[in-house]
Amino acid sequence: MTSPPLPARLSVVVPCFNERANVAPLVARLEAALAGIAWEAVFVDDNSPDGTAAAARAIAARDPRIRCLRRIGRRGLSSAVIEGALSSSAEFVAVIDGDMQHDETRLPLMLTRLAAGEGDIAIGTRYAKGGDAGGLAGGFRQRLSRLGIAFAQLFLPSPVSDPMSGFFMMRREHFEEIAPRLAGSGFKILLDLLFNARPPLKVIEIPYEFRARAFGESKLDALVLAQFAGLLIDRVLHGAVPLRFIAFSGVGLVGVIANLAALAAGRALGLGFSPAQAIATVIAMVVNFQLNNSLTYRDQRLRGARLWRGLALFLLFCGIGAVADLGIARTLYEDHNSLTVSGAAGAIVAVVWNYAISATLVWRTR
Ligand SMILES: Nc1nc2c(ncn2[C@@H]2O[C@H](COP(=O)(O)OP(=O)(O)O)[C@@H](O)[C@H]2O)c(=O)[nH]1
Ligand SMILES: [Mg+2]
């Protein structure tokens, strides 16, 4: 009779998207780094087209320490980490990227220091003395990353040199306690955890060298900064307004600017006010659609035929919204004679209407 294997002391959560070539090498590295520790790893893959899940499952089929969580119709680094962590039960939970950019040889040190009670969370940091941000592709990414860190410090209870890190370890009990309060959208799970911990987590910083990517490509880009701004706004508003609505309204504001610019250009080209405004409205709606598709609804981005269908629906319904907006503004203007009140009321009705249409008809969740 064989006895069941020892339960894991450490669950390593690995969010991955299009990382097929990295799965097997990462498992080998974890195995080497974690010798002598009872560990398990959960690969959380959002149904990558490159077959990452199949690669992870093939290893899981012969190694009981490995599991694969394949999520369908979903995208998102934060939610992948949350679900991976909640699907496990070891005393300690670590998160490490699936692209081998993080230094897995630091995991035992994180575990030792946490177990010794030196802190509540051990954060792998690229910036503390001894760390290295060399693997961050391009100077632009580095500047962006530094800017984000400077902003985040303003909101953190105690300074953390790399609050955008995707490499950390904590006690499960803390994670489970904070989990219900996490926003869960976007890319910055660590920041989300630090913001929502009550009382604040005591941080242990573990410097490491951020490696260059060997296989595959980065999924994070400048748009991440916008999502990050959203997280900070959410923090200021204490979650009273959904993040998506904030993003949607921000995009709407850009649309208003596009509208005014196009209107001015049309007038300068000698068009009458009404035709210039009509053309400017359509241009603004297309800009809004494009930005919402790549930003607000990044996780449900429409492509191909669905993109054209979405654009048509968006133009149709937001066009109706624009006409209603004008009507409301005009009626209020006639009643109150105040341009600001009527303009603002019209804009609020339009943004709520457009948001409702977008969320239910254009980018509806499958
Ligand atoms: N499950 C899941 N993993 C993701 C998603 N986006 C990125 N990842 C993984 O998260 C890790 C960090 O992403 P990466 O693109 O390498 O970011 P970078 O290191 O900042 O360039 C990698 O292992 C990615 O495969 C996602 O939407 N879902
Ligand atoms: Mg990476």
Side-chain angles (χ1 to χ4, degrees):
M1 216 179 84
T2 53
S3 51
L6 279 180
R9 181 155 191 247
L10 172 66
S11 298
V12 182
V13 177
V14 189
C16 43
F17 192 80
N18 283 345
E19 306 285 6
R20 187 175 44 109
N22 289 316
V23 175
L26 180 62
V27 171
R29 286 186 174 201
L30 288 175
E31 167 130 55
L34 297 171
I37 297 168
W39 63 280
E40 63 176 5
V42 188
F43 286 82
V44 189
D45 172 67
D46 290 350
N47 207 23
S48 306
D50 79 340
T52 302
R57 183 154 295 115
I59 301 174
R62 49 189 156 75
D63 186 339
R65 297 170 302 185
I66 309 297
R67 274 189 295 134
C68 173
L69 186 59
R70 176 182 169 209
R71 307 194 306 165
I72 293 174
R74 318 261 308 271
R75 263 310 291 278
L77 183 49
S78 287
S79 60
V81 167
I82 295 170
E83 287 168 32
L86 295 181
S87 80
S88 64
S89 43
E91 188 183 353
F92 296 93
V93 183
V95 180
I96 189 166
D97 280 0
D99 57 8
M100 299 193 287
Q101 289 194 277
H102 294 156
D103 184 356
E104 70 292 330
T105 64
R106 312 258 83 190
L107 289 168
L109 179 64
M110 290 179 167
L111 184 62
T112 313
R113 296 192 57 186
L114 281 176
E118 290 179 36
D120 305 316
I121 184 165
I123 302 177
T125 163
R126 291 168 286 190
Y127 297 100
K129 210 166 172 294
D132 183 3
L136 266 189
F140 176 68
R141 281 289 305 274
Q142 290 211 22
R143 277 199 296 280
L144 203 66
S145 184
R146 279 177 202 283
L147 188 73
I149 289 169
F151 265 120
Q153 298 294 358
L154 302 174
F155 297 89
L156 286 171
S158 65
V160 174
S161 15
D162 195 1
M164 323 278 265
S165 178
F167 182 33
F168 58 90
M169 187 189 294
M170 62 198 293
R171 277 186 185 276
R172 157 166 313 279
E173 57 194 272
H174 287 136
F175 191 92
E176 299 274 344
E177 198 274 322
I178 304 167
R181 295 191 295 278
L182 294 172
S185 59
F187 292 86
K188 297 305 168 197
I189 178 67
L190 175 61
L191 205 57
D192 208 2
L193 281 165
L194 293 171
F195 279 167
N196 287 294
R198 292 196 264 290
L201 295 173
K202 185 162 182 279
V203 173
I204 306 169
E205 304 218 68
I206 309 273
Y208 77 98
E209 196 175 322
F210 193 62
R211 302 187 191 119
R213 238 179 201 281
F215 308 104
E217 56 192 39
S218 170
K219 281 102 219 164
L220 312 189
D221 52 34
L223 292 179
V224 170
L225 193 69
Q227 291 196 333
F228 172 67
L231 197 62
L232 293 185
I233 294 173
D234 188 48
R235 171 83 178 154
V236 171
L237 297 178
H238 295 286
V241 182
L243 268 183
R244 242 197 248 282
F245 185 73
I246 296 171
F248 193 85
S249 309
V251 166
L253 217 56
V254 175
V256 169
I257 295 167
N259 190 329
L260 292 177
L263 178 60
R267 297 287 284 156
L269 290 174
L271 284 177
F273 184 84
S274 297
Q277 173 60 0
I279 293 172
T281 306
V282 174
I283 291 177
M285 286 196 290
V286 173
V287 168
N288 266 5
F289 176 80
Q290 194 51 44
L291 285 175
N292 277 320
N293 196 40
S294 49
L295 203 65
T296 320
Y297 291 96
R298 187 175 165 75
D299 54 338
Q300 301 165 38
R301 198 184 293 180
L302 304 175
R303 292 172 209 274
R306 296 183 60 219
L307 177 99
W308 294 109
R309 180 184 160 277
L311 178 62
L313 280 174
F314 191 82
L315 289 180
L316 177 66
F317 284 97
C318 297
I320 296 174
V323 173
D325 169 29
L326 273 183
I328 291 163
R330 180 159 303 149
T331 315
L332 279 175
Y333 184 58
E334 280 157 6
D335 290 355
H336 297 277
N337 242 335
S338 152
L339 255 182
T340 358
V341 171
S342 45
I348 290 171
V349 172
V351 80
V352 172
W353 161 267
N354 290 349
Y355 182 66
I357 291 301
S358 297
T360 52
L361 285 180
V362 183
W363 289 276
R364 62 158 179 251
T365 351
R366 274 162 295 167

